[in-house]
Amino acid sequence: MEYKTMISRSKGEILKKKEWPGIRTYENTVTRIEPNLLIIEIGRLIPFMKGENIKFFPLNMPSIEIGFIHIIGIILEVSYFGNYCELQVDDGTGLLNVMYNTKRHFLGKRKYIEMQNSNNDKKSTSIQKIEDLQPGKHVYLQGFLSLNNYKNTNFKNKSPSENFWCSQPLLFAVKLELISEKEYYKKMYAWFGSAESRYT
């Protein structure tokens, strides 16, 4: 009987355990953070509806709202859909699908180059080609997390946890930067340090 009570209590403590005890929270206050995440951590975030948008919080920590996230990885696949390209990225801990607006990329590049040209009194408006996104490239991404089927009509009829497990995480990237292998491993070292500080 004592053994069963002990096991039951242990399970209860595990279920109530905060995912990121290293992050300070405040009573009756929602803290919005923009963490460097390992892809494996994304699978443990809890989704919820905020207006018409999907947001996430760490397990048993609803007072923390995940805003922008920062991801690094190696591109495995690239597909194009109109103005968007879909990337599959692997950071060694898991896989993540990423949607990136190539039109925004081109406009951003053009605006930057036109500003440079204006300062230098030049008229060239050539821009870097999106074809640089190829499998095997190291990439640094910033963006918002969502789920790949949250607009499905059945989504709102299920609990957030059910929606999560029947969906796949999807990152809508607003910034994409190709980085060198050296920079990738330098960032990965920092990412693991960030993860360790959250869990301890």
Side-chain angles (χ1 to χ4, degrees):
M1 186 66 177
E2 290 182 0
Y3 174 76
K4 289 183 178 180
T5 302
M6 182 176 67
I7 293 298
S8 177
R9 184 180 302 168
S10 177
K11 287 182 178 179
E13 290 174 354
I14 291 173
L15 290 174
K16 295 179 181 179
K17 184 178 179 181
K18 292 183 177 181
E19 180 75 0
W20 294 343
I23 294 183
R24 180 178 297 179
T25 58
Y26 302 92
E27 190 174 354
N28 300 321
T29 301
V30 174
T31 302
R32 195 167 186 267
I33 64 172
E34 300 181 358
N36 302 332
L37 289 181
L38 300 171
I39 292 176
I40 194 173
E41 295 182 276
I42 294 173
R44 294 181 59 80
L45 298 178
I46 306 300
F48 68 97
M49 295 296 298
K50 185 176 182 180
E52 294 297 320
N53 299 314
I54 293 288
K55 299 293 183 180
F56 294 81
F57 63 83
L59 183 64
N60 294 323
M61 300 183 74
S63 61
I64 293 180
E65 182 180 315
I66 307 297
F68 250 58
I69 67 167
H70 303 257
I71 293 291
I72 56 174
I74 299 174
I75 298 174
L76 298 184
E77 296 180 7
V78 183
S79 303
Y80 294 92
F81 306 93
N83 291 330
Y84 285 86
C85 69
E86 182 175 9
L87 312 174
Q88 188 177 66
V89 176
D90 181 0
D91 71 348
T93 71
L95 302 177
L96 180 65
N97 288 331
V98 179
M99 294 297 292
Y100 183 63
N101 188 328
T102 57
K103 185 176 181 180
R104 174 182 292 175
H105 167 84
F106 284 131
L107 290 175
K109 284 285 184 182
R110 183 179 296 277
K111 183 177 180 181
Y112 173 73
I113 290 174
E114 286 178 348
M115 288 176 62
Q116 283 190 321
N117 292 339
S118 176
N119 293 334
N120 297 327
D121 294 323
K122 295 181 181 179
K123 295 183 179 180
S124 173
T125 57
S126 61
I127 56 178
Q128 182 180 357
K129 294 182 179 180
I130 202 68
E131 284 80 2
D132 289 340
L133 295 177
Q134 297 176 359
K137 295 284 188 176
H138 298 80
V139 67
Y140 165 51
L141 300 156
Q142 298 177 36
F144 293 97
L145 270 180
S146 187
L147 299 175
N148 64 349
N149 69 343
Y150 83 97
K151 291 187 177 180
N152 188 295
T153 54
N154 293 324
F155 186 88
K156 294 183 179 180
N157 297 326
K158 298 180 180 180
S159 69
S161 58
E162 286 181 303
N163 283 321
F164 188 74
W165 296 120
C166 71
S167 305
Q168 292 293 324
L170 181 66
L171 178 68
F172 284 96
V174 298
K175 181 177 180 180
L176 183 154
E177 180 182 347
L178 294 174
I179 57 177
S180 67
E181 184 177 6
K182 181 179 180 180
E183 182 67 16
Y184 173 78
Y185 286 112
K186 182 179 178 181
K187 285 184 179 295
M188 180 58 76
Y189 182 80
W191 259 239
F192 274 108
S194 297
E196 183 179 14
S197 67
R198 287 193 293 271
Y199 285 92
T200 56

Short mmCIF file of all heavy atoms in Angstrom, two decimals, residues 63-121:
data_model
loop_
_atom_site.label_atom_id
_atom_site.label_comp_id
_atom_site.label_asym_id
_atom_site.label_seq_id
_atom_site.Cartn_x
_atom_site.Cartn_y
_atom_site.Cartn_z
N SER A 63 2.21 30.76 -17.57
CA SER A 63 2.52 32.18 -17.39
C SER A 63 3.67 32.62 -18.30
O SER A 63 4.04 33.79 -18.30
CB SER A 63 2.88 32.46 -15.93
OG SER A 63 4.02 31.73 -15.54
N ILE A 64 4.22 31.68 -19.07
CA ILE A 64 5.26 32.02 -20.04
C ILE A 64 4.72 31.82 -21.45
O ILE A 64 4.23 30.75 -21.79
CB ILE A 64 6.52 31.15 -19.85
CG1 ILE A 64 7.19 31.48 -18.52
CG2 ILE A 64 7.50 31.37 -20.99
CD1 ILE A 64 8.43 30.67 -18.25
N GLU A 65 4.77 32.85 -22.25
CA GLU A 65 4.32 32.77 -23.64
C GLU A 65 5.53 32.82 -24.56
O GLU A 65 6.38 33.70 -24.44
CB GLU A 65 3.37 33.91 -23.96
CG GLU A 65 2.82 33.87 -25.38
CD GLU A 65 1.87 35.02 -25.66
OE1 GLU A 65 1.00 35.30 -24.80
OE2 GLU A 65 2.01 35.65 -26.73
N ILE A 66 5.59 31.86 -25.47
CA ILE A 66 6.70 31.81 -26.42
C ILE A 66 6.42 32.77 -27.57
O ILE A 66 5.42 32.65 -28.26
CB ILE A 66 6.90 30.39 -26.98
CG1 ILE A 66 7.02 29.37 -25.84
CG2 ILE A 66 8.12 30.34 -27.89
CD1 ILE A 66 8.20 29.57 -24.94
N GLY A 67 7.30 33.74 -27.76
CA GLY A 67 7.16 34.66 -28.88
C GLY A 67 8.02 34.20 -30.05
O GLY A 67 7.89 33.08 -30.52
N PHE A 68 8.89 35.07 -30.50
CA PHE A 68 9.88 34.69 -31.50
C PHE A 68 10.71 33.53 -30.97
O PHE A 68 11.00 33.48 -29.78
CB PHE A 68 10.82 35.87 -31.74
CG PHE A 68 10.66 36.52 -33.08
CD1 PHE A 68 9.45 37.03 -33.46
CD2 PHE A 68 11.73 36.62 -33.95
CE1 PHE A 68 9.29 37.64 -34.69
CE2 PHE A 68 11.60 37.24 -35.17
CZ PHE A 68 10.37 37.75 -35.56
N ILE A 69 11.09 32.61 -31.83
CA ILE A 69 12.08 31.62 -31.44
C ILE A 69 13.25 31.67 -32.41
O ILE A 69 13.13 32.14 -33.54
CB ILE A 69 11.51 30.18 -31.38
CG1 ILE A 69 11.14 29.68 -32.78
CG2 ILE A 69 10.33 30.10 -30.43
CD1 ILE A 69 10.88 28.18 -32.81
N HIS A 70 14.38 31.20 -31.94
CA HIS A 70 15.61 31.18 -32.73
C HIS A 70 16.05 29.73 -32.89
O HIS A 70 16.16 29.00 -31.90
CB HIS A 70 16.70 31.99 -32.04
CG HIS A 70 16.31 33.41 -31.76
ND1 HIS A 70 16.75 34.47 -32.52
CD2 HIS A 70 15.50 33.95 -30.81
CE1 HIS A 70 16.24 35.60 -32.05
NE2 HIS A 70 15.47 35.31 -31.01
N ILE A 71 16.26 29.32 -34.13
CA ILE A 71 16.60 27.93 -34.45
C ILE A 71 17.83 27.91 -35.36
O ILE A 71 18.00 28.79 -36.21
CB ILE A 71 15.42 27.24 -35.19
CG1 ILE A 71 14.22 27.09 -34.26
CG2 ILE A 71 15.82 25.88 -35.74
CD1 ILE A 71 14.41 26.10 -33.15
N ILE A 72 18.67 26.91 -35.18
CA ILE A 72 19.74 26.67 -36.14
C ILE A 72 19.63 25.23 -36.63
O ILE A 72 19.03 24.38 -35.95
CB ILE A 72 21.14 26.91 -35.54
CG1 ILE A 72 21.35 26.06 -34.29
CG2 ILE A 72 21.35 28.38 -35.24
CD1 ILE A 72 22.76 26.14 -33.74
N GLY A 73 20.18 24.96 -37.79
CA GLY A 73 20.12 23.60 -38.30
C GLY A 73 20.77 23.49 -39.67
O GLY A 73 21.32 24.46 -40.20
N ILE A 74 20.67 22.30 -40.21
CA ILE A 74 21.19 22.01 -41.55
C ILE A 74 20.00 21.70 -42.45
O ILE A 74 19.11 20.92 -42.09
CB ILE A 74 22.17 20.82 -41.52
CG1 ILE A 74 23.36 21.15 -40.62
CG2 ILE A 74 22.64 20.47 -42.93
CD1 ILE A 74 24.31 19.99 -40.40
N ILE A 75 19.96 22.32 -43.61
CA ILE A 75 18.85 22.11 -44.55
C ILE A 75 18.94 20.70 -45.14
O ILE A 75 19.98 20.29 -45.66
CB ILE A 75 18.89 23.15 -45.68
CG1 ILE A 75 18.72 24.56 -45.11
CG2 ILE A 75 17.80 22.86 -46.71
CD1 ILE A 75 18.88 25.66 -46.15
N LEU A 76 17.83 19.96 -45.05
CA LEU A 76 17.76 18.63 -45.65
C LEU A 76 17.01 18.65 -46.98
O LEU A 76 17.39 17.97 -47.93
CB LEU A 76 17.07 17.65 -44.70
CG LEU A 76 17.74 17.39 -43.35
CD1 LEU A 76 16.97 16.32 -42.59
CD2 LEU A 76 19.19 16.97 -43.53
N GLU A 77 15.91 19.42 -47.03
CA GLU A 77 15.09 19.49 -48.24
C GLU A 77 14.60 20.91 -48.46
O GLU A 77 14.41 21.67 -47.51
CB GLU A 77 13.87 18.56 -48.13
CG GLU A 77 14.21 17.08 -48.03
CD GLU A 77 12.96 16.22 -47.94
OE1 GLU A 77 11.84 16.76 -48.08
OE2 GLU A 77 13.10 15.01 -47.71
N VAL A 78 14.38 21.25 -49.73
CA VAL A 78 13.82 22.56 -50.09
C VAL A 78 12.75 22.35 -51.15
O VAL A 78 12.98 21.67 -52.15
CB VAL A 78 14.90 23.51 -50.65
CG1 VAL A 78 14.30 24.88 -50.95
CG2 VAL A 78 16.07 23.65 -49.69
N SER A 79 11.55 22.92 -50.91
CA SER A 79 10.47 22.87 -51.89
C SER A 79 9.91 24.28 -52.06
O SER A 79 9.96 25.09 -51.12
CB SER A 79 9.35 21.93 -51.43
OG SER A 79 9.85 20.63 -51.19
N TYR A 80 9.36 24.57 -53.24
CA TYR A 80 8.85 25.91 -53.52
C TYR A 80 7.35 25.86 -53.82
O TYR A 80 6.87 24.99 -54.54
CB TYR A 80 9.60 26.53 -54.70
CG TYR A 80 11.06 26.78 -54.40
CD1 TYR A 80 12.03 25.82 -54.69
CD2 TYR A 80 11.46 27.98 -53.80
CE1 TYR A 80 13.37 26.06 -54.39
CE2 TYR A 80 12.80 28.22 -53.51
CZ TYR A 80 13.74 27.25 -53.80
OH TYR A 80 15.06 27.48 -53.49
N PHE A 81 6.61 26.83 -53.21
CA PHE A 81 5.17 26.96 -53.42
C PHE A 81 4.84 28.43 -53.62
O PHE A 81 4.68 29.17 -52.65
CB PHE A 81 4.40 26.42 -52.21
CG PHE A 81 4.76 25.01 -51.83
CD1 PHE A 81 5.74 24.77 -50.87
CD2 PHE A 81 4.14 23.93 -52.43
CE1 PHE A 81 6.08 23.48 -50.51
CE2 PHE A 81 4.48 22.63 -52.08
CZ PHE A 81 5.45 22.41 -51.12
N GLY A 82 4.76 28.86 -54.87
CA GLY A 82 4.48 30.27 -55.13
C GLY A 82 5.56 31.16 -54.56
O GLY A 82 6.74 31.02 -54.88
N ASN A 83 5.16 32.07 -53.66
CA ASN A 83 6.12 32.98 -53.04
C ASN A 83 6.82 32.37 -51.83
O ASN A 83 7.63 33.04 -51.17
CB ASN A 83 5.41 34.27 -52.59
CG ASN A 83 4.97 35.11 -53.78
OD1 ASN A 83 5.60 35.09 -54.83
ND2 ASN A 83 3.87 35.83 -53.61
N TYR A 84 6.49 31.13 -51.52
CA TYR A 84 7.06 30.49 -50.33
C TYR A 84 7.98 29.34 -50.70
O TYR A 84 7.81 28.68 -51.73
CB TYR A 84 5.95 29.95 -49.42
CG TYR A 84 5.21 31.02 -48.66
CD1 TYR A 84 4.13 31.68 -49.22
CD2 TYR A 84 5.60 31.37 -47.37
CE1 TYR A 84 3.45 32.67 -48.53
CE2 TYR A 84 4.93 32.35 -46.67
CZ TYR A 84 3.86 33.00 -47.25
OH TYR A 84 3.20 33.98 -46.56
N CYS A 85 8.94 29.11 -49.82
CA CYS A 85 9.70 27.88 -49.91
C CYS A 85 9.57 27.16 -48.56
O CYS A 85 9.46 27.81 -47.52
CB CYS A 85 11.17 28.13 -50.25
SG CYS A 85 12.16 28.91 -48.98
N GLU A 86 9.51 25.85 -48.62
CA GLU A 86 9.42 25.04 -47.40
C GLU A 86 10.74 24.32 -47.22
O GLU A 86 11.23 23.66 -48.14
CB GLU A 86 8.28 24.04 -47.48
CG GLU A 86 8.13 23.21 -46.21
CD GLU A 86 6.93 22.29 -46.23
OE1 GLU A 86 6.30 22.16 -47.30
OE2 GLU A 86 6.61 21.70 -45.19
N LEU A 87 11.30 24.47 -46.05
CA LEU A 87 12.57 23.83 -45.72
C LEU A 87 12.34 22.77 -44.66
O LEU A 87 11.51 22.93 -43.77
CB LEU A 87 13.57 24.85 -45.16
CG LEU A 87 13.77 26.16 -45.92
CD1 LEU A 87 14.68 27.08 -45.12
CD2 LEU A 87 14.37 25.90 -47.29
N GLN A 88 13.09 21.70 -44.76
CA GLN A 88 13.16 20.75 -43.65
C GLN A 88 14.55 20.89 -43.05
O GLN A 88 15.56 20.75 -43.74
CB GLN A 88 12.92 19.31 -44.11
CG GLN A 88 12.80 18.34 -42.93
CD GLN A 88 12.50 16.93 -43.37
OE1 GLN A 88 13.34 16.30 -44.01
NE2 GLN A 88 11.32 16.44 -43.05
N VAL A 89 14.58 21.21 -41.75
CA VAL A 89 15.83 21.54 -41.08
C VAL A 89 16.09 20.54 -39.96
O VAL A 89 15.18 20.14 -39.23
CB VAL A 89 15.76 22.98 -40.51
CG1 VAL A 89 17.01 23.31 -39.72
CG2 VAL A 89 15.58 23.98 -41.64
N ASP A 90 17.35 20.14 -39.81
CA ASP A 90 17.76 19.18 -38.78
C ASP A 90 18.90 19.80 -37.96
O ASP A 90 19.89 20.27 -38.53
CB ASP A 90 18.24 17.90 -39.46
CG ASP A 90 18.67 16.82 -38.48
OD1 ASP A 90 18.60 17.05 -37.26
OD2 ASP A 90 19.08 15.74 -38.94
N ASP A 91 18.73 19.83 -36.63
CA ASP A 91 19.80 20.36 -35.79
C ASP A 91 20.52 19.28 -34.99
O ASP A 91 21.29 19.56 -34.08
CB ASP A 91 19.26 21.44 -34.84
CG ASP A 91 18.38 20.87 -33.73
OD1 ASP A 91 18.00 19.69 -33.82
OD2 ASP A 91 18.07 21.62 -32.78
N GLY A 92 20.25 18.02 -35.33
CA GLY A 92 20.87 16.91 -34.61
C GLY A 92 20.02 16.39 -33.47
O GLY A 92 20.28 15.31 -32.94
N THR A 93 18.99 17.17 -33.07
CA THR A 93 18.08 16.71 -32.01
C THR A 93 16.69 16.40 -32.56
O THR A 93 15.87 15.80 -31.88
CB THR A 93 17.94 17.77 -30.89
OG1 THR A 93 17.18 18.89 -31.37
CG2 THR A 93 19.30 18.24 -30.40
N GLY A 94 16.41 16.85 -33.78
CA GLY A 94 15.10 16.61 -34.38
C GLY A 94 14.97 17.34 -35.70
O GLY A 94 15.87 18.05 -36.14
N LEU A 95 13.81 17.14 -36.34
CA LEU A 95 13.51 17.76 -37.63
C LEU A 95 12.41 18.80 -37.46
O LEU A 95 11.50 18.62 -36.65
CB LEU A 95 13.06 16.71 -38.65
CG LEU A 95 14.02 15.57 -38.95
CD1 LEU A 95 13.37 14.59 -39.92
CD2 LEU A 95 15.32 16.09 -39.53
N LEU A 96 12.47 19.86 -38.25
CA LEU A 96 11.45 20.90 -38.20
C LEU A 96 11.17 21.40 -39.61
O LEU A 96 12.10 21.66 -40.38
CB LEU A 96 11.93 22.07 -37.33
CG LEU A 96 10.96 23.25 -37.18
CD1 LEU A 96 9.69 22.83 -36.44
CD2 LEU A 96 11.64 24.41 -36.46
N ASN A 97 9.88 21.54 -39.94
CA ASN A 97 9.49 22.13 -41.22
C ASN A 97 9.39 23.64 -41.05
O ASN A 97 8.86 24.14 -40.05
CB ASN A 97 8.16 21.56 -41.70
CG ASN A 97 8.29 20.13 -42.17
OD1 ASN A 97 9.35 19.71 -42.64
ND2 ASN A 97 7.23 19.36 -42.03
N VAL A 98 9.87 24.35 -42.06
CA VAL A 98 9.94 25.81 -42.01
C VAL A 98 9.33 26.39 -43.28
O VAL A 98 9.64 25.93 -44.38
CB VAL A 98 11.40 26.29 -41.88
CG1 VAL A 98 11.47 27.82 -41.87
CG2 VAL A 98 12.06 25.70 -40.65
N MET A 99 8.47 27.40 -43.13
CA MET A 99 7.94 28.14 -44.27
C MET A 99 8.60 29.51 -44.30
O MET A 99 8.69 30.19 -43.27
CB MET A 99 6.43 28.29 -44.17
CG MET A 99 5.65 26.99 -44.29
SD MET A 99 5.85 26.16 -45.89
CE MET A 99 5.02 27.31 -46.98
N TYR A 100 9.06 29.90 -45.49
CA TYR A 100 9.77 31.17 -45.62
C TYR A 100 9.27 31.91 -46.84
O TYR A 100 9.19 31.34 -47.94
CB TYR A 100 11.27 30.93 -45.72
CG TYR A 100 12.10 32.18 -45.79
CD1 TYR A 100 12.11 33.09 -44.75
CD2 TYR A 100 12.88 32.46 -46.92
CE1 TYR A 100 12.88 34.24 -44.81
CE2 TYR A 100 13.65 33.61 -47.00
CZ TYR A 100 13.64 34.50 -45.94
OH TYR A 100 14.39 35.64 -46.01
N ASN A 101 8.91 33.18 -46.66
CA ASN A 101 8.38 34.00 -47.74
C ASN A 101 9.53 34.55 -48.57
O ASN A 101 10.23 35.47 -48.15
CB ASN A 101 7.54 35.14 -47.15
CG ASN A 101 6.80 35.93 -48.22
OD1 ASN A 101 7.26 36.07 -49.34
ND2 ASN A 101 5.63 36.44 -47.86
N THR A 102 9.73 33.99 -49.76
CA THR A 102 10.85 34.43 -50.60
C THR A 102 10.61 35.83 -51.15
O THR A 102 11.56 36.56 -51.41
CB THR A 102 11.06 33.45 -51.76
OG1 THR A 102 9.84 33.35 -52.52
CG2 THR A 102 11.43 32.07 -51.25
N LYS A 103 9.35 36.21 -51.33
CA LYS A 103 9.05 37.56 -51.82
C LYS A 103 9.52 38.59 -50.81
O LYS A 103 10.11 39.62 -51.16
CB LYS A 103 7.55 37.71 -52.07
CG LYS A 103 7.17 39.04 -52.70
CD LYS A 103 5.68 39.09 -53.01
CE LYS A 103 5.30 40.41 -53.67
NZ LYS A 103 3.85 40.47 -53.98
N ARG A 104 9.28 38.32 -49.53
CA ARG A 104 9.76 39.23 -48.48
C ARG A 104 11.28 39.30 -48.50
O ARG A 104 11.87 40.35 -48.31
CB ARG A 104 9.27 38.74 -47.11
CG ARG A 104 9.84 39.55 -45.95
CD ARG A 104 9.37 39.00 -44.62
NE ARG A 104 7.95 39.19 -44.43
CZ ARG A 104 7.28 38.72 -43.39
NH1 ARG A 104 7.90 38.00 -42.48
NH2 ARG A 104 5.98 38.95 -43.27
N HIS A 105 11.91 38.15 -48.76
CA HIS A 105 13.37 38.10 -48.83
C HIS A 105 13.88 39.03 -49.93
O HIS A 105 14.77 39.84 -49.72
CB HIS A 105 13.82 36.67 -49.10
CG HIS A 105 15.26 36.54 -49.50
ND1 HIS A 105 16.28 36.48 -48.59
CD2 HIS A 105 15.85 36.47 -50.73
CE1 HIS A 105 17.44 36.38 -49.22
NE2 HIS A 105 17.21 36.36 -50.52
N PHE A 106 13.28 38.92 -51.11
CA PHE A 106 13.72 39.73 -52.24
C PHE A 106 13.48 41.21 -51.99
O PHE A 106 14.33 42.05 -52.27
CB PHE A 106 12.99 39.31 -53.52
CG PHE A 106 13.51 38.03 -54.10
CD1 PHE A 106 12.65 37.01 -54.46
CD2 PHE A 106 14.86 37.85 -54.29
CE1 PHE A 106 13.13 35.83 -55.01
CE2 PHE A 106 15.36 36.68 -54.83
CZ PHE A 106 14.49 35.66 -55.19
N LEU A 107 12.30 41.55 -51.42
CA LEU A 107 12.01 42.96 -51.15
C LEU A 107 12.98 43.53 -50.13
O LEU A 107 13.44 44.66 -50.25
CB LEU A 107 10.56 43.10 -50.66
CG LEU A 107 9.47 42.85 -51.70
CD1 LEU A 107 8.10 42.90 -51.05
CD2 LEU A 107 9.56 43.87 -52.83
N GLY A 108 13.28 42.71 -49.10
CA GLY A 108 14.22 43.16 -48.08
C GLY A 108 15.60 43.38 -48.65
O GLY A 108 16.27 44.38 -48.37
N LYS A 109 16.04 42.44 -49.50
CA LYS A 109 17.35 42.57 -50.13
C LYS A 109 17.39 43.80 -51.04
O LYS A 109 18.35 44.55 -51.05
CB LYS A 109 17.66 41.31 -50.94
CG LYS A 109 18.07 40.11 -50.12
CD LYS A 109 19.49 40.28 -49.62
CE LYS A 109 19.95 39.04 -48.88
NZ LYS A 109 21.32 39.19 -48.35
N ARG A 110 16.31 43.99 -51.82
CA ARG A 110 16.28 45.11 -52.76
C ARG A 110 16.33 46.45 -52.00
O ARG A 110 17.06 47.36 -52.37
CB ARG A 110 15.02 45.05 -53.62
CG ARG A 110 14.96 46.15 -54.67
CD ARG A 110 13.70 46.01 -55.52
NE ARG A 110 13.70 44.78 -56.28
CZ ARG A 110 14.33 44.63 -57.45
NH1 ARG A 110 15.03 45.63 -57.96
NH2 ARG A 110 14.28 43.49 -58.09
N LYS A 111 15.54 46.54 -50.91
CA LYS A 111 15.52 47.78 -50.14
C LYS A 111 16.90 48.08 -49.57
O LYS A 111 17.38 49.21 -49.61
CB LYS A 111 14.50 47.66 -49.01
CG LYS A 111 14.34 48.93 -48.19
CD LYS A 111 13.25 48.77 -47.15
CE LYS A 111 13.09 50.04 -46.33
NZ LYS A 111 12.04 49.90 -45.29
N TYR A 112 17.56 47.03 -49.04
CA TYR A 112 18.89 47.21 -48.46
C TYR A 112 19.89 47.66 -49.51
O TYR A 112 20.67 48.58 -49.31
CB TYR A 112 19.34 45.89 -47.82
CG TYR A 112 20.76 45.90 -47.32
CD1 TYR A 112 21.11 46.60 -46.16
CD2 TYR A 112 21.76 45.21 -48.00
CE1 TYR A 112 22.42 46.61 -45.71
CE2 TYR A 112 23.07 45.22 -47.55
CZ TYR A 112 23.39 45.92 -46.40
OH TYR A 112 24.68 45.93 -45.95
N ILE A 113 19.85 47.00 -50.67
CA ILE A 113 20.81 47.32 -51.73
C ILE A 113 20.54 48.70 -52.31
O ILE A 113 21.46 49.45 -52.62
CB ILE A 113 20.78 46.23 -52.82
CG1 ILE A 113 21.38 44.94 -52.26
CG2 ILE A 113 21.54 46.67 -54.06
CD1 ILE A 113 21.28 43.76 -53.17
N GLU A 114 19.25 49.05 -52.47
CA GLU A 114 18.93 50.38 -52.99
C GLU A 114 19.41 51.47 -52.04
O GLU A 114 19.87 52.53 -52.48
CB GLU A 114 17.42 50.49 -53.22
CG GLU A 114 16.95 49.71 -54.45
CD GLU A 114 15.46 49.78 -54.64
OE1 GLU A 114 14.77 50.24 -53.69
OE2 GLU A 114 14.97 49.38 -55.71
N MET A 115 19.34 51.21 -50.73
CA MET A 115 19.86 52.18 -49.77
C MET A 115 21.37 52.32 -49.92
O MET A 115 21.91 53.42 -49.90
CB MET A 115 19.51 51.73 -48.34
CG MET A 115 18.04 51.88 -47.97
SD MET A 115 17.69 51.24 -46.33
CE MET A 115 18.72 52.32 -45.33
N GLN A 116 22.04 51.17 -50.10
CA GLN A 116 23.49 51.21 -50.31
C GLN A 116 23.83 51.96 -51.59
O GLN A 116 24.74 52.78 -51.63
CB GLN A 116 24.05 49.79 -50.37
CG GLN A 116 24.18 49.11 -49.02
CD GLN A 116 24.97 47.83 -49.13
OE1 GLN A 116 24.83 47.08 -50.09
NE2 GLN A 116 25.80 47.56 -48.15
N ASN A 117 23.07 51.64 -52.65
CA ASN A 117 23.33 52.29 -53.93
C ASN A 117 23.09 53.79 -53.86
O ASN A 117 23.80 54.59 -54.47
CB ASN A 117 22.44 51.68 -55.02
CG ASN A 117 22.82 50.24 -55.32
OD1 ASN A 117 23.94 49.83 -55.04
ND2 ASN A 117 21.90 49.48 -55.88
N SER A 118 22.06 54.17 -53.10
CA SER A 118 21.76 55.59 -52.95
C SER A 118 22.91 56.31 -52.25
O SER A 118 23.30 57.41 -52.63
CB SER A 118 20.47 55.77 -52.14
OG SER A 118 20.22 57.14 -51.90
N ASN A 119 23.47 55.63 -51.25
CA ASN A 119 24.59 56.22 -50.52
C ASN A 119 25.85 56.29 -51.38
O ASN A 119 26.68 57.17 -51.23
CB ASN A 119 24.88 55.42 -49.25
CG ASN A 119 23.76 55.54 -48.24
OD1 ASN A 119 23.03 56.52 -48.24
ND2 ASN A 119 23.62 54.53 -47.39
N ASN A 120 25.96 55.31 -52.31
CA ASN A 120 27.17 55.23 -53.14
C ASN A 120 26.97 55.82 -54.53
O ASN A 120 27.84 55.71 -55.38
CB ASN A 120 27.62 53.77 -53.27
CG ASN A 120 28.01 53.18 -51.93
OD1 ASN A 120 28.51 53.89 -51.06
ND2 ASN A 120 27.76 51.89 -51.74
N ASP A 121 25.76 56.39 -54.77
CA ASP A 121 25.44 56.98 -56.08
C ASP A 121 25.57 55.96 -57.20
O ASP A 121 26.07 56.25 -58.28
CB ASP A 121 26.34 58.19 -56.37
CG ASP A 121 26.05 59.33 -55.42
OD1 ASP A 121 24.86 59.53 -55.07
OD2 ASP A 121 27.01 60.01 -55.03
#
